[in-house]
Amino acid sequence: TAELLIDHSHVTLNDNSQLNVTNDGNAKATIKNNSQIFMNDNSQMNLDSVELSDSQIHMKDNAILTMDSVVLQKAAIHGTGTNKVIIAGENATTFEDTSLEISNQEAIQVNKNGHFKIQAKNDAVTIKGSSADESVIAMEGTTGDLTTVEVNGGTQGVTVNGAIISANKDNVLNLSGQVKLNGLLDPLTANISDGEIIHSY
């Protein structure tokens, strides 16, 4: 229940390592101030109710990052090779002014009942996958277990380079602000509010 603070630090996970960072009760877990997390060699990291700001996560060698109720602000996730980011839980995980670049298919997997937000408040945001035909965001879920993805480009803009693939046409994609979608949209329910939405696939 004590506060956990990773401040201007380096954390490296190798050789099938697993790191679980959770928030119990009123405790607070924070990663900030240009901290660098390196995930190598089939490592796994689970973040639950964590705030991460002005820091970077570097993934390679089949690393898996799972997030539930996490807020990333002015951060970045970089991946080379086969890696995956999993969004779990009904409480939203939010990328605010946070970009992601992972070269493999299904870079971001939103689990059933999952809620994922991408927001550009002060900086432009880019979500980049391997190609326009392969999913950078994969939305799981069946009838009654739907996932939601919200993309709010504000005035700075969000660009999604890669496909958004849905397991169910009732999964919801909410779009607002300045948004550019450069990839396939698999059957899903798209709600568009104020802003300019460009779909160039």
Side-chain angles (χ1 to χ4, degrees):
T1 58
E3 178 180 1
L4 171 65
L5 176 62
I6 299 175
D7 187 352
H8 196 69
S9 301
H10 284 196
V11 176
T12 302
L13 304 178
N14 291 323
D15 302 324
N16 298 295
S17 298
Q18 182 167 318
L19 174 64
N20 299 311
V21 182
T22 63
N23 181 343
D24 293 328
N26 294 321
K28 185 177 181 181
T30 304
I31 303 169
K32 68 175 187 177
N33 194 14
N34 199 32
S35 290
Q36 305 290 322
I37 299 175
F38 298 92
M39 301 180 63
N40 309 318
D41 307 324
N42 299 296
S43 62
Q44 297 184 35
M45 182 166 63
N46 301 309
L47 302 180
D48 185 352
S49 303
V50 174
E51 294 181 5
L52 188 149
S53 61
D54 297 298
S55 298
Q56 291 80 44
I57 299 174
H58 308 271
M59 306 173 69
K60 66 177 184 178
D61 305 328
N62 300 306
I64 298 175
L65 170 61
T66 301
M67 293 185 284
D68 184 352
S69 306
V70 175
V71 176
L72 295 90
Q73 295 177 312
K74 294 185 177 180
I77 300 175
H78 304 282
T80 56
T82 302
N83 305 283
K84 182 172 286 189
V85 175
I86 299 174
I87 309 296
E90 296 181 12
N91 295 322
T93 286
T94 302
F95 283 19
E96 180 181 306
D97 298 339
T98 292
S99 294
L100 174 142
E101 182 174 353
I102 293 182
S103 57
N104 65 287
Q105 189 175 357
E106 296 185 1
I108 301 172
Q109 173 185 310
V110 186
N111 285 354
K112 66 178 184 180
N113 290 319
H115 191 174
F116 180 39
K117 290 183 178 181
I118 304 167
Q119 299 177 341
K121 285 192 173 182
N122 300 300
D123 297 305
V125 171
T126 300
I127 306 296
K128 185 177 180 181
S130 57
S131 76
D133 295 302
E134 295 183 346
S135 61
V136 65
I137 300 176
M139 302 172 68
E140 295 191 339
T142 58
T143 302
D145 295 309
L146 303 179
T147 65
T148 302
V149 173
E150 297 182 43
V151 182
N152 183 347
T155 58
Q156 299 300 313
V158 169
T159 300
V160 179
N161 291 321
I164 300 177
I165 303 296
S166 174
N168 188 306
K169 66 180 179 60
D170 294 326
N171 283 338
V172 177
L173 174 65
N174 294 322
L175 302 169
S176 60
Q178 306 297 310
V179 178
K180 293 181 180 179
L181 303 173
N182 299 323
L184 171 69
L185 283 183
D186 207 39
L188 47 75
T189 299
N191 299 316
I192 300 174
S193 57
D194 293 339
E196 181 181 11
I197 313 299
I198 299 173
H199 184 212
S200 62
Y201 183 81

